[in-house]
Amino acid sequence: MAAEKGTISLIKADVGGYPGHSQVHQELIKRAEECLEEAKGKGLLIDYRVMRCGDDLELLMTHRQGTNNETIHKLAWDTFLACTEVAKRLKLYGAGQDLLVDAFSGTVKGMGPGVAELEFVERPSEPFIAFMGDKTSPGAWNLPVFRIFADPFNSSGLIIDPKMHAGFTFDVLDVKKNSAITLACPEEMYDLLMFLGAYDRYMIRAIHRRADGEIAAVASTDKLSLIAGKYVGKDDPVLLVRTQAGFPAQGEVLEAFAFPHLVEGWMRGSHCGPLMPVSFHQANPTRFDGPPRVIAAGFQLAYGQLVGPVDLFDDPAYDETRRMASRIADYMRRHGPFQPHRLPLEEMEYTTMPQIMARLADRFKSLG
Ligand code: F6R
Ligand code: MG
Ligand code: MG
């Protein structure tokens, strides 16, 4: 991408699971690759990779069309439609489930798929990581992204790298009010944490480096912002993070995932559990449809070409995190339908409460 700006677009959707909500069938991956290969042949894409995390199909694309570009979003939409056809033929589970509208109208935002896009001038060497999660929501990124870009006990670069020393700004979305605020760290860290800790409502959208305003990271919160007010749902999230040379080192970014913190989205989108960092081939949520997973695909960008991926959590250094996540999963599961394993009433994706209340309302006797 030399001196010209280029764009990385990561657009994902669940268009059919196999079996159940656990994986993506190889035929869907093949179909998506055919669609993106054709677009590359026409010169629309510089490069692409098709990946999957659990039941989510992930399209990583590089191009020069900028962010929120209609042609790129339509390509992703049409690719998901083509994969839905395959999913229907194989009677895969929930074929087309994330394509919420019948016709494409300019952007995939608000139509079901999740989107994270970074636009920048490629550095002399441009490493970045694509994180992809399943059985969770964009709020899951709050804790690790805070630690990566604001916690010097995680990222020593905040102290010792001159380009990072001025800190980073955090764009935070309020999904309930459909509004956003930008807060700067380190000065506004305590204000920021007041919001980020409430990760069901406030979610990090983007991070910029304060020294020069350079974009450092972006998460897929757009779907949520656009449907806020109607249904503040969960959406298996993605996150793009640039690393090294003035950004947190790759190891600082990955370090933030060594603690399997509790996130929302497990079983029926109505339970919380530990976020387990796994290798690509282990991104198959099975136990109680989980526990929630995250994979990390590492790349070097070379004039827009994707050199990679490297499966970054395929490392025995994360075995202990996975073991801890399994122990936490045991502990949380023993709560059964009780909070905090089950989510508070207003955050559950499924509920029988209206029917139960309608049936039992008369039996509540006022004590006042
Ligand atoms: C969670 C998830 C699954 C399903 C569960 C029930 O995000 O996708 O845990 O919610 O398997 O699925 P349905 O309602 O399709 O039977
Ligand atoms: Mg599914
Ligand atoms: Mg999923």
mmCIF file of all heavy atoms in Angstrom, residues 113-140:
data_model
loop_
_atom_site.group_PDB
_atom_site.id
_atom_site.type_symbol
_atom_site.label_atom_id
_atom_site.label_comp_id
_atom_site.label_asym_id
_atom_site.label_seq_id
_atom_site.Cartn_x
_atom_site.Cartn_y
_atom_site.Cartn_z
ATOM 1 N N PRO A 113 -24.378 -8.638 9.316
ATOM 2 C CA PRO A 113 -22.953 -8.954 9.455
ATOM 3 C C PRO A 113 -22.228 -7.967 10.385
ATOM 4 O O PRO A 113 -22.667 -6.833 10.560
ATOM 5 C CB PRO A 113 -22.421 -8.821 8.017
ATOM 6 C CG PRO A 113 -23.618 -9.041 7.150
ATOM 7 C CD PRO A 113 -24.764 -8.428 7.909
ATOM 8 N N GLY A 114 -21.116 -8.414 10.976
ATOM 9 C CA GLY A 114 -20.263 -7.551 11.785
ATOM 10 C C GLY A 114 -19.117 -7.033 10.923
ATOM 11 O O GLY A 114 -18.629 -7.756 10.048
ATOM 12 N N VAL A 115 -18.668 -5.798 11.184
ATOM 13 C CA VAL A 115 -17.649 -5.168 10.342
ATOM 14 C C VAL A 115 -16.588 -4.472 11.183
ATOM 15 O O VAL A 115 -16.929 -3.718 12.100
ATOM 16 C CB VAL A 115 -18.264 -4.048 9.462
ATOM 17 C CG1 VAL A 115 -17.258 -3.560 8.427
ATOM 18 C CG2 VAL A 115 -19.534 -4.491 8.801
ATOM 19 N N ALA A 116 -15.313 -4.693 10.859
ATOM 20 C CA ALA A 116 -14.227 -3.875 11.419
ATOM 21 C C ALA A 116 -13.329 -3.490 10.242
ATOM 22 O O ALA A 116 -12.906 -4.361 9.481
ATOM 23 C CB ALA A 116 -13.437 -4.655 12.467
ATOM 24 N N GLU A 117 -13.051 -2.197 10.095
ATOM 25 C CA GLU A 117 -12.249 -1.745 8.953
ATOM 26 C C GLU A 117 -11.205 -0.731 9.400
ATOM 27 O O GLU A 117 -11.514 0.188 10.169
ATOM 28 C CB GLU A 117 -13.152 -1.099 7.887
ATOM 29 C CG GLU A 117 -14.163 -2.075 7.304
ATOM 30 C CD GLU A 117 -14.987 -1.465 6.174
ATOM 31 O OE1 GLU A 117 -15.709 -0.484 6.448
ATOM 32 O OE2 GLU A 117 -14.894 -1.967 5.039
ATOM 33 N N LEU A 118 -9.988 -0.912 8.909
ATOM 34 C CA LEU A 118 -8.875 -0.010 9.215
ATOM 35 C C LEU A 118 -8.383 0.599 7.912
ATOM 36 O O LEU A 118 -8.112 -0.142 6.955
ATOM 37 C CB LEU A 118 -7.696 -0.800 9.794
ATOM 38 C CG LEU A 118 -7.683 -1.254 11.243
ATOM 39 C CD1 LEU A 118 -6.450 -2.136 11.469
ATOM 40 C CD2 LEU A 118 -7.667 -0.067 12.186
ATOM 41 N N GLU A 119 -8.239 1.924 7.868
ATOM 42 C CA GLU A 119 -7.660 2.565 6.681
ATOM 43 C C GLU A 119 -6.421 3.336 7.107
ATOM 44 O O GLU A 119 -6.474 4.119 8.068
ATOM 45 C CB GLU A 119 -8.671 3.508 6.029
ATOM 46 C CG GLU A 119 -8.174 4.029 4.686
ATOM 47 C CD GLU A 119 -9.135 5.017 4.044
ATOM 48 O OE1 GLU A 119 -9.984 5.583 4.737
ATOM 49 O OE2 GLU A 119 -9.004 5.234 2.818
ATOM 50 N N PHE A 120 -5.309 3.101 6.427
ATOM 51 C CA PHE A 120 -4.054 3.771 6.806
ATOM 52 C C PHE A 120 -3.043 3.651 5.668
ATOM 53 O O PHE A 120 -3.223 2.865 4.739
ATOM 54 C CB PHE A 120 -3.481 3.142 8.090
ATOM 55 C CG PHE A 120 -3.323 1.646 8.011
ATOM 56 C CD1 PHE A 120 -2.217 1.080 7.394
ATOM 57 C CD2 PHE A 120 -4.287 0.801 8.560
ATOM 58 C CE1 PHE A 120 -2.074 -0.304 7.313
ATOM 59 C CE2 PHE A 120 -4.145 -0.582 8.485
ATOM 60 C CZ PHE A 120 -3.037 -1.125 7.856
ATOM 61 N N VAL A 121 -1.968 4.441 5.803
ATOM 62 C CA VAL A 121 -0.837 4.307 4.886
ATOM 63 C C VAL A 121 0.080 3.229 5.462
ATOM 64 O O VAL A 121 0.505 3.332 6.622
ATOM 65 C CB VAL A 121 -0.084 5.656 4.750
ATOM 66 C CG1 VAL A 121 1.166 5.488 3.881
ATOM 67 C CG2 VAL A 121 -1.010 6.717 4.183
ATOM 68 N N GLU A 122 0.374 2.230 4.657
ATOM 69 C CA GLU A 122 1.167 1.085 5.119
ATOM 70 C C GLU A 122 2.564 1.545 5.553
ATOM 71 O O GLU A 122 3.230 2.286 4.829
ATOM 72 C CB GLU A 122 1.259 0.086 3.965
ATOM 73 C CG GLU A 122 1.626 -1.306 4.363
ATOM 74 C CD GLU A 122 1.554 -2.248 3.150
ATOM 75 O OE1 GLU A 122 0.460 -2.451 2.610
ATOM 76 O OE2 GLU A 122 2.619 -2.755 2.761
ATOM 77 N N ARG A 123 2.996 1.082 6.713
ATOM 78 C CA ARG A 123 4.347 1.404 7.202
ATOM 79 C C ARG A 123 5.392 0.567 6.452
ATOM 80 O O ARG A 123 5.029 -0.388 5.758
ATOM 81 C CB ARG A 123 4.433 1.096 8.712
ATOM 82 C CG ARG A 123 3.593 1.985 9.594
ATOM 83 C CD ARG A 123 3.567 1.480 11.029
ATOM 84 N NE ARG A 123 2.825 0.232 11.168
ATOM 85 C CZ ARG A 123 2.855 -0.559 12.241
ATOM 86 N NH1 ARG A 123 3.621 -0.248 13.269
ATOM 87 N NH2 ARG A 123 2.141 -1.657 12.285
ATOM 88 N N PRO A 124 6.672 0.869 6.622
ATOM 89 C CA PRO A 124 7.708 0.059 5.958
ATOM 90 C C PRO A 124 7.533 -1.430 6.260
ATOM 91 O O PRO A 124 7.820 -2.284 5.425
ATOM 92 C CB PRO A 124 9.007 0.609 6.540
ATOM 93 C CG PRO A 124 8.683 2.015 6.919
ATOM 94 C CD PRO A 124 7.247 2.017 7.348
ATOM 95 N N SER A 125 7.053 -1.747 7.461
ATOM 96 C CA SER A 125 6.647 -3.129 7.760
ATOM 97 C C SER A 125 5.379 -3.006 8.599
ATOM 98 O O SER A 125 5.336 -2.222 9.550
ATOM 99 C CB SER A 125 7.738 -3.867 8.526
ATOM 100 O OG SER A 125 7.308 -5.196 8.775
ATOM 101 N N GLU A 126 4.345 -3.761 8.223
ATOM 102 C CA GLU A 126 3.019 -3.518 8.796
ATOM 103 C C GLU A 126 2.410 -4.807 9.378
ATOM 104 O O GLU A 126 1.590 -5.473 8.734
ATOM 105 C CB GLU A 126 2.108 -2.957 7.704
ATOM 106 C CG GLU A 126 0.713 -2.542 8.161
ATOM 107 C CD GLU A 126 0.700 -1.376 9.128
ATOM 108 O OE1 GLU A 126 1.175 -0.297 8.776
ATOM 109 O OE2 GLU A 126 0.216 -1.564 10.260
ATOM 110 N N PRO A 127 2.819 -5.189 10.602
ATOM 111 C CA PRO A 127 2.173 -6.350 11.213
ATOM 112 C C PRO A 127 0.824 -5.971 11.846
ATOM 113 O O PRO A 127 0.687 -4.869 12.380
ATOM 114 C CB PRO A 127 3.166 -6.779 12.303
ATOM 115 C CG PRO A 127 4.029 -5.590 12.562
ATOM 116 C CD PRO A 127 3.891 -4.619 11.419
ATOM 117 N N PHE A 128 -0.143 -6.866 11.749
ATOM 118 C CA PHE A 128 -1.419 -6.633 12.431
ATOM 119 C C PHE A 128 -2.031 -7.974 12.818
ATOM 120 O O PHE A 128 -1.617 -9.031 12.325
ATOM 121 C CB PHE A 128 -2.378 -5.803 11.559
ATOM 122 C CG PHE A 128 -3.038 -6.561 10.431
ATOM 123 C CD1 PHE A 128 -4.297 -7.133 10.582
ATOM 124 C CD2 PHE A 128 -2.396 -6.712 9.203
ATOM 125 C CE1 PHE A 128 -4.912 -7.824 9.535
ATOM 126 C CE2 PHE A 128 -2.996 -7.403 8.152
ATOM 127 C CZ PHE A 128 -4.257 -7.961 8.328
ATOM 128 N N ILE A 129 -2.989 -7.901 13.727
ATOM 129 C CA ILE A 129 -3.674 -9.125 14.200
ATOM 130 C C ILE A 129 -5.173 -8.963 13.996
ATOM 131 O O ILE A 129 -5.749 -7.920 14.333
ATOM 132 C CB ILE A 129 -3.403 -9.394 15.699
ATOM 133 C CG1 ILE A 129 -1.894 -9.454 15.992
ATOM 134 C CG2 ILE A 129 -4.068 -10.700 16.148
ATOM 135 C CD1 ILE A 129 -1.550 -9.623 17.472
ATOM 136 N N ALA A 130 -5.791 -10.011 13.452
ATOM 137 C CA ALA A 130 -7.258 -10.073 13.370
ATOM 138 C C ALA A 130 -7.729 -11.021 14.471
ATOM 139 O O ALA A 130 -7.379 -12.205 14.463
ATOM 140 C CB ALA A 130 -7.684 -10.596 12.001
ATOM 141 N N PHE A 131 -8.466 -10.481 15.433
ATOM 142 C CA PHE A 131 -9.077 -11.308 16.482
ATOM 143 C C PHE A 131 -10.515 -11.593 16.079
ATOM 144 O O PHE A 131 -11.231 -10.692 15.615
ATOM 145 C CB PHE A 131 -9.080 -10.572 17.826
ATOM 146 C CG PHE A 131 -7.716 -10.424 18.446
ATOM 147 C CD1 PHE A 131 -6.991 -9.258 18.279
ATOM 148 C CD2 PHE A 131 -7.159 -11.464 19.191
ATOM 149 C CE1 PHE A 131 -5.731 -9.117 18.850
ATOM 150 C CE2 PHE A 131 -5.899 -11.331 19.765
ATOM 151 C CZ PHE A 131 -5.184 -10.155 19.593
ATOM 152 N N MET A 132 -10.931 -12.837 16.291
ATOM 153 C CA MET A 132 -12.296 -13.240 15.951
ATOM 154 C C MET A 132 -12.859 -14.035 17.118
ATOM 155 O O MET A 132 -12.199 -14.949 17.617
ATOM 156 C CB MET A 132 -12.268 -14.093 14.674
ATOM 157 C CG MET A 132 -11.815 -13.303 13.442
ATOM 158 S SD MET A 132 -11.146 -14.320 12.113
ATOM 159 C CE MET A 132 -9.394 -14.326 12.494
ATOM 160 N N GLY A 133 -14.069 -13.676 17.563
ATOM 161 C CA GLY A 133 -14.665 -14.345 18.720
ATOM 162 C C GLY A 133 -15.946 -15.057 18.355
ATOM 163 O O GLY A 133 -16.624 -14.699 17.383
ATOM 164 N N ASP A 134 -16.287 -16.068 19.140
ATOM 165 C CA ASP A 134 -17.587 -16.746 18.969
ATOM 166 C C ASP A 134 -18.202 -16.978 20.341
ATOM 167 O O ASP A 134 -17.489 -17.201 21.320
ATOM 168 C CB ASP A 134 -17.414 -18.082 18.225
ATOM 169 C CG ASP A 134 -18.773 -18.676 17.838
ATOM 170 O OD1 ASP A 134 -19.706 -17.905 17.531
ATOM 171 O OD2 ASP A 134 -18.904 -19.920 17.840
ATOM 172 N N LYS A 135 -19.550 -16.929 20.379
ATOM 173 C CA LYS A 135 -20.349 -17.070 21.600
ATOM 174 C C LYS A 135 -20.024 -15.951 22.604
ATOM 175 O O LYS A 135 -19.937 -16.155 23.796
ATOM 176 C CB LYS A 135 -20.137 -18.443 22.268
ATOM 177 C CG LYS A 135 -20.319 -19.623 21.325
ATOM 178 C CD LYS A 135 -21.737 -19.754 20.782
ATOM 179 C CE LYS A 135 -21.863 -20.956 19.863
ATOM 180 N NZ LYS A 135 -21.809 -20.582 18.413
ATOM 181 N N THR A 136 -19.826 -14.750 22.044
ATOM 182 C CA THR A 136 -19.603 -13.592 22.903
ATOM 183 C C THR A 136 -20.070 -12.329 22.188
ATOM 184 O O THR A 136 -20.823 -12.426 21.216
ATOM 185 C CB THR A 136 -18.136 -13.527 23.384
ATOM 186 O OG1 THR A 136 -18.000 -12.436 24.268
ATOM 187 C CG2 THR A 136 -17.144 -13.412 22.244
ATOM 188 N N SER A 137 -19.653 -11.143 22.662
ATOM 189 C CA SER A 137 -20.126 -9.894 22.059
ATOM 190 C C SER A 137 -18.974 -8.882 22.066
ATOM 191 O O SER A 137 -17.961 -9.101 22.737
ATOM 192 C CB SER A 137 -21.311 -9.358 22.868
ATOM 193 O OG SER A 137 -20.880 -8.376 23.766
ATOM 194 N N PRO A 138 -19.113 -7.759 21.327
ATOM 195 C CA PRO A 138 -17.991 -6.805 21.265
ATOM 196 C C PRO A 138 -17.552 -6.290 22.638
ATOM 197 O O PRO A 138 -16.409 -5.861 22.804
ATOM 198 C CB PRO A 138 -18.539 -5.671 20.398
ATOM 199 C CG PRO A 138 -19.571 -6.314 19.541
ATOM 200 C CD PRO A 138 -20.214 -7.365 20.421
ATOM 201 N N GLY A 139 -18.441 -6.337 23.646
ATOM 202 C CA GLY A 139 -18.044 -5.940 24.996
ATOM 203 C C GLY A 139 -16.902 -6.785 25.539
ATOM 204 O O GLY A 139 -16.171 -6.372 26.450
ATOM 205 N N ALA A 140 -16.724 -7.973 24.965
ATOM 206 C CA ALA A 140 -15.640 -8.868 25.401
ATOM 207 C C ALA A 140 -14.273 -8.243 25.154
ATOM 208 O O ALA A 140 -13.284 -8.596 25.806
ATOM 209 C CB ALA A 140 -15.726 -10.203 24.658
#
